[in-house]
Amino acid sequence: MKKILIILLVSFTSLFSQQIKFAWLTDNHIGYPTAEEDLKQSVNDINKIDDLKFIIVSGDITATGTLKELSLAKTILDKLKNPYFIIPGNHDTKWSESGCTDFIKLWGNDRFVFEIENFLFVGLHQGPRMRMADGFFAPEDLRWFDSIFISKSNSTKPMIFITHYPLDESVANWYEMTDRLKNLNTKIVLCGHGHKNKFYSFEGIAGVMGRSNLRANDKSGGYNLVEIKNDSIFFFEKNNSTADYNFWYSISLNNNNLAAVNVKRPDYSVNDSFPNVKIKWQFNSGYTIGSSATVNEKSVFLGDASGKFYSVNVSDGSINWSYTTRGAIYSTAAVEKNYVVFGSADSLIYCLNATNGDLIWQFKTEAALLSSPVIKNNIVYFGGSDRKFRAIDLLSGKLVWEFDKINGFVESKPTLYKNKIIFGAWDEHLYCLDSHSGNLIWKWKGDRDGVFYSPAVCTPVVSDETVFIVAPDRKMTAIEIETGKELWRTDKYHVRETIGISNGRETIFIRTMNDTILSLPCASELREPNWITDCKFGYDISSAQIVEKDGTIFYPTKNGLVIALNSADGKILWKFRVSSGFVNTVTPIDKNNLVITAFDGKITFLSAYDK
C-alpha cells in the first residue's frame, strides 16, 4: 500500500478541514519491558495535538491484568488532556487476578458508548474471561449491545465499532456480532490484537487493525491518528520520536460494496453422525459460565459471571434455588454431605446448605477467589488471589492453617494425595504442602522463565508417588512427590495445560495442541503411548481437563465440541457440539450421562444411549 509522508503537523491539518479527529492507542501491554515509557511518550505526544476530540484505547492495556499493572496504566492515561474511552483485551481478562473486576473498579466499565457529530462510537471486548480459549462475546455483553439500539434513532446513526480481536475465527462467536453490525449503519470496525496496521473486510464490513503502542524494534512506540472528513475516514501512523505523520490508509464511509471475505461458521452437522447422543435438558443462565458443574444425587451446582450460584434439578433442569454473591463466580463448587463450598470474585468463600441454599458460613479473604476447592475429612482446601492457600474447617468455617509464601494468584483446583496437597500458581511454581500443617514440602519450577509458562491451570494428577503436569511451556513433566525431584520432562507431544488420569491411576490422558488425544502409562520414566487418537478437532488451546468415568474419557474443545473416547483403546465413541465457544471441564454422572457448562451461559445435560 502506497504511503504518503507528511512532514509537518501544519501540513497534516491543512489537507483536510476537520470533522472528527481522534487518537487511537492499542496493545499498550503495561508490564512489558518498554511499555511504561512507550505509553508515557504517546500520552505526551497526544497532548501536544490541539484539535483532537478524544482518544480510543482498544485493549491489552496490560501484560497480565494485575491491579498493579492496571493502576499504572490508568495513572499514565489519566494525564491525557482529552477524554479517553477504553476497553480491555485478552491480556487484561485471561490472566486477571481479580476475575476481571479490577478493570471495572478503576474505569467504571469495560465497555462504552458515546455520540459525537451524529456518529455513534461503541466499544466492546471479547475476553476470553479467565480461561485459555478463543475470544468470545459474552451473552450479557451482547444484550447490552442490543439495548443501545432499541431506539430507532440509534439504529440509523453511522456507527464506528471498537473491539480488541478482529472479527474472524479468533473470536469463537464472531458471527453473532457481525450479523448485528450488518443490520446497523456500521461504517467501520477498529480492532487491535495483531500489533500492526492492517485493513480487513469482515464479511463486507470495513475493518482496520491498529499498531501496538510498543516500540518493538523501533526507537520509540507510536499510535494512530484517525480523521473523519466528509464521507471518508483517514488513518495516520504517528511515531513518538518524530513530528511526522505517516498516512497509510483511507476508506469511503459510503462504500458498501467491499468484497466479503467469508469465514466458515460453526458447523453442527457432526451431531447428525451420532444420533444416539441427545440433549436431555438445557438451562440458560444468560451470563458467562467459567466454572464446571458439580453434581450430587439430586442437584447440579454451578455459578456464573453475574455472581449468581444455582442449584438445578438434575432430572429436568429446573431451578431448585439460587444464591447471589457480590462478584463473578469462576470457582467450581465442592460438595460434601449437605455442604456446598465455592469462591467468588467478591473475595469470599461461601458455604451453603445444599438442600435449600441457606448460608452456613462465609470466610473473608483479601482478594478474589477464582480457584476451586477440594474437601477431605471435613477440611476445605482453597487457594486465592491474595497469594495465600488455606485450610478451613468445613463445619465451622474457621481457619485451620494458612500458607502465605506464594508470589502469584491461584486459579486451578488443587490435588490431594495422602497427606499432601499440590497446586500451581501464576508465579512459575508448582507447590506441595503438608495437608495437615500447611508447611511447604517442596516447590518446583520449569526450565522456561516467565509468568506465562506457570503450571497454574493444569490440575496435577498423581499415581504411584509421582506427580504429572502439563504447563503452557508445551512440556509434560513427572515429579517425585516426596522430594519434588524432576523425574522426566518432554516436549515430544506439544501439550498445554490439559491432562487427566484413569480411575485406577494407571494411565494418563493428554490432549495435544493439534488434533490428538493420547494415553501414556503412569511411570517414573517416560514410556511409549498406549494409544494416540486423531480426533480432528484442529488447533486447540483449551484449558479444560480430561475426565474419565466408567471406562470413557471426555474432553471438551475450545470451540464447543465434546468428544468421548474409550479409555482402553482410544476409540472415538461419539462427538457432539453443544456451543461455538469454550466448554468447561465436563462433569460425567456415568459413562452415558454428563453435565456441560459453557461460555455461552448454558448448562446442558447430555445423554449418549447405546446404539
Side-chain angles (χ1 to χ4, degrees):
M1 183 182 297
K2 185 177 180 181
K3 295 183 178 179
I4 303 170
L5 187 62
I6 302 172
I7 304 300
L8 299 174
L9 175 61
V10 65
S11 302
F12 170 74
T13 54
S14 65
L15 281 177
F16 311 109
S17 57
Q18 176 201 344
Q19 182 176 344
I20 303 174
K21 188 163 79 177
F22 61 92
W24 175 22
L25 292 163
T26 191
D27 296 271
N28 313 101
H29 289 292
I30 293 296
Y32 284 5
T34 67
E36 180 180 352
E37 183 181 356
D38 291 340
L39 185 57
K40 285 179 177 177
Q41 289 178 355
S42 290
V43 167
N44 290 335
D45 206 60
I46 289 168
N47 283 340
K48 296 174 185 175
I49 305 172
D50 294 328
D51 53 351
L52 292 179
K53 298 286 188 182
F54 54 87
I55 299 93
I56 295 292
V57 190
S58 60
D60 276 4
I61 315 305
T62 66
T64 59
T66 64
L67 179 59
K68 180 180 178 180
E69 291 174 350
L70 289 167
S71 299
L72 176 57
K74 188 173 190 299
T75 298
I76 299 170
L77 289 169
D78 282 354
K79 290 182 169 59
L80 287 164
K81 294 193 303 184
N82 296 98
Y84 69 93
F85 301 89
I86 188 168
I87 57 171
N90 58 298
H91 276 259
D92 310 308
T93 59
K94 162 62 189 84
W95 292 278
S96 170
E97 63 187 3
S98 70
C100 310
T101 59
D102 281 340
F103 191 99
I104 297 173
K105 290 174 184 175
L106 288 169
W107 280 286
N109 213 327
D110 59 358
R111 51 202 184 195
F112 64 77
V113 56
F114 66 94
E115 183 180 346
I116 186 168
E117 302 290 342
N118 200 42
F119 276 85
L120 199 63
F121 288 79
V122 180
L124 186 60
H125 74 102
Q126 310 96 333
R129 300 169 190 253
M130 299 310 304
R131 304 293 178 244
M132 179 53 71
D134 291 338
F136 192 84
F137 285 107
E140 59 268 32
D141 285 341
L142 291 175
R143 282 197 304 277
W144 171 83
F145 183 87
D146 292 342
S147 72
I148 296 169
F149 300 100
I150 293 174
S151 137
K152 185 176 180 180
S153 63
N154 274 352
S155 65
T156 58
K157 283 178 181 140
M159 178 180 60
I160 294 177
F161 182 64
I162 299 97
T163 189
H164 182 64
Y165 282 85
L167 296 182
D168 57 20
E169 287 176 311
S170 60
V171 181
N173 63 339
W174 58 271
Y175 56 91
E176 293 196 62
M177 181 54 69
T178 303
D179 287 349
R180 284 167 164 82
L181 296 178
K182 285 179 180 178
N183 290 321
L184 298 166
N185 190 11
T186 308
K187 295 303 181 183
I188 198 164
V189 174
L190 305 183
C191 67
H193 193 60
H195 288 216
K196 60 184 177 182
N197 291 330
K198 183 179 178 181
F199 170 74
Y200 286 87
S201 171
F202 299 128
E203 292 199 341
I205 302 171
V208 170
M209 175 184 287
R211 60 154 292 168
S212 168
N213 188 238
L214 297 172
R215 67 185 65 182
N217 296 319
D218 294 333
K219 293 181 180 179
S220 63
Y223 56 94
N224 275 289
L225 287 168
V226 185
E227 184 167 15
I228 300 172
K229 162 66 179 171
N230 297 330
D231 65 348
S232 295
I233 184 166
F234 302 88
F235 294 87
F236 299 80
E237 183 174 357
K238 174 67 175 68
N239 190 287
N240 293 329
S241 62
T242 72
D244 302 338
Y245 295 82
N246 191 15
F247 167 74
W248 67 274
Y249 196 72
S250 69
I251 187 170
S252 169
L253 295 175
N254 294 324
N255 184 359
N256 297 315
N257 298 308
L258 292 177
V261 180
N262 293 317
V263 179
K264 186 178 179 181
R265 299 196 172 207
D267 182 4
Y268 286 77
S269 63
V270 66
N271 296 356
D272 298 331
S273 301
F274 300 94
N276 60 311
V277 184
K278 301 289 185 183
I279 294 175
K280 181 179 178 181
W281 56 257
Q282 198 168 63
F283 168 71
N284 190 348
S285 76
Y287 289 87
T288 299
I289 299 178
S291 63
S292 297
T294 304
V295 180
N296 66 8
E297 295 81 6
K298 297 180 180 180
S299 302
V300 176
F301 302 97
L302 72 147
D304 66 23
S306 75
K308 186 168 283 190
F309 188 84
Y310 291 96
S311 168
V312 177
N313 189 298
V314 74
S315 299
D316 59 13
S318 60
I319 298 176
N320 297 321
W321 52 259
S322 65
Y323 184 94
T324 302
T325 73
R326 296 187 296 275
I329 299 171
Y330 295 99
S331 173
T332 297
V335 178
E336 180 74 15
K337 299 173 185 174
N338 205 39
Y339 299 84
V340 54
V341 182
F342 62 94
S344 169
D346 65 10
S347 77
L348 292 168
I349 302 171
Y350 291 87
C351 180
L352 307 182
N353 183 303
T355 302
N356 56 28
D358 289 346
L359 179 67
I360 299 174
W361 55 259
Q362 61 186 27
F363 185 96
K364 181 75 170 66
T365 70
E366 299 164 38
L369 269 300
L370 308 173
S371 64
S372 302
V374 294
I375 302 173
K376 187 175 182 180
N377 297 330
N378 288 334
I379 301 296
V380 180
Y381 298 94
F382 221 139
S385 290
D386 56 5
R387 291 150 170 77
K388 294 181 179 180
F389 195 95
R390 296 174 173 90
I392 298 169
D393 183 82
L394 174 65
L395 305 183
S396 67
K398 302 296 184 182
L399 182 68
V400 177
W401 55 254
E402 180 177 274
F403 178 76
D404 62 359
K405 294 177 174 59
I406 308 171
N407 294 316
F409 77 97
V410 181
E411 179 183 349
S412 64
K413 182 178 180 179
T415 296
L416 268 168
Y417 184 79
K418 297 182 179 178
N419 66 327
K420 297 176 177 64
I421 187 155
I422 307 109
F423 62 93
W426 285 108
D427 64 357
E428 305 179 63
H429 288 92
L430 186 76
Y431 292 84
C432 178
L433 307 182
D434 183 292
S435 62
H436 300 306
S437 66
N439 292 331
L440 177 68
I441 299 174
W442 53 259
K443 66 178 182 178
W444 171 91
K445 179 183 178 298
D447 52 12
R448 198 167 182 183
D449 293 332
V451 66
F452 293 118
Y453 302 118
S454 301
V457 176
C458 164
T459 299
V461 297
V462 184
S463 175
D464 194 24
E465 309 302 315
T466 303
V467 180
F468 301 92
I469 61 166
V470 287
D473 59 11
R474 280 44 167 190
K475 294 182 180 181
M476 181 178 180
T477 308
I479 301 166
E480 187 176 71
I481 197 167
E482 285 297 326
T483 64
K485 176 186 175 183
E486 189 176 297
L487 299 174
W488 55 262
R489 184 163 162 81
T490 181
D491 60 1
K492 181 177 180 180
Y493 302 110
H494 204 61
V495 295
R496 180 182 180 132
E497 296 181 319
T498 298
I499 192 171
I501 193 165
S502 61
N503 294 336
R505 295 185 178 274
E506 72 280 358
T507 306
I508 309 164
F509 306 108
I510 310 293
R511 183 224 65 216
T512 72
M513 292 176 65
N514 287 281
D515 289 315
T516 59
I517 293 175
L518 59 96
S519 165
L520 284 173
C522 291
S524 56
E525 66 278 345
L526 179 62
R527 296 181 181 176
E528 290 301 307
N530 300 314
W531 52 258
I532 301 176
T533 299
D534 184 356
C535 298
K536 294 181 170 55
F537 49 69
Y539 176 72
D540 197 356
I541 54 174
S542 169
S543 53
Q545 305 299 295
I546 296 172
V547 182
E548 185 190 39
K549 191 74 172 181
D550 301 333
T552 299
I553 62 171
F554 302 93
Y555 170 66
T557 72
K558 68 182 176 70
N559 296 124
L561 183 68
V562 179
I563 305 170
L565 298 90
N566 184 300
S567 63
D569 58 15
K571 178 183 177 182
I572 296 173
L573 302 176
W574 52 261
K575 298 180 181 180
F576 196 90
R577 190 165 202 162
V578 295
S579 177
S580 64
F582 178 82
V583 174
N584 300 288
T585 302
V586 303
T587 308
I589 297 172
D590 54 43
K591 68 176 183 178
N592 293 323
N593 296 281
L594 61 157
V595 181
I596 299 162
T597 61
F599 268 5
D600 62 10
K602 295 176 183 175
I603 305 100
T604 303
F605 191 113
L606 200 64
S607 291
Y609 303 97
D610 293 333
K611 293 181 181 179

